[in-house]
């Protein structure tokens, strides 16, 4: 709601978009606003589920493995 939208705010929006698998335009579009407005309880539940998934993989991957983070477009 601030009238200031400088390069620092745009960079923050881009980082948010990248972390949430959105197009990194740096603009506050409807998809970005919808993602920003997800209730904290929903985000906490997502984190809890992902911790369970990560723990189930721990130690069972062997010496060679590939992990793909689809929303972030990262392959490890």
């Amino acid at each position: 709601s601030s009238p200031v939208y400088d390069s620092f705010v745009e960079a923050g929006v881009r980082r948010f978009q990248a972390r949430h698998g959105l197009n990194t335009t740096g603009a506050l579009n409807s998809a970005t606003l919808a993602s920003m407005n997800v209730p904290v309880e929903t985000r906490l539940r997502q984190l809890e589920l992902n911790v369970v998934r990560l723990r189930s993989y721990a130690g069972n991957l062997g010496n060679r493995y590939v992990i793909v983070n689809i929303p972030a477009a990262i392959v490890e």
Side-chain angles (χ1 to χ4, degrees):
S1 65
S2 172
V4 176
Y5 198 86
D6 59 12
S7 61
F8 297 107
V9 175
E10 182 181 348
V13 171
R14 285 181 184 275
R15 283 192 307 274
F16 179 87
Q17 290 169 327
R19 282 194 321 262
H20 289 86
L22 302 169
N23 290 332
T24 55
T25 61
L28 284 173
N29 54 31
S30 60
T32 301
L33 288 174
S35 188
M36 286 181 169
N37 287 318
V38 172
V40 68
E41 294 83 13
T42 303
R43 292 285 187 218
L44 285 173
R45 183 68 182 139
Q46 290 172 336
L47 290 171
E48 290 168 351
L49 290 171
N50 285 324
V51 165
V52 170
R53 288 185 193 125
L54 287 173
R55 286 185 182 150
S56 70
Y57 290 129
N60 298 328
L61 297 176
N63 293 333
R64 295 178 58 149
Y65 59 90
V66 174
I67 294 178
V68 179
N69 182 338
I70 294 172
I74 296 174
V75 176
E76 179 181 329

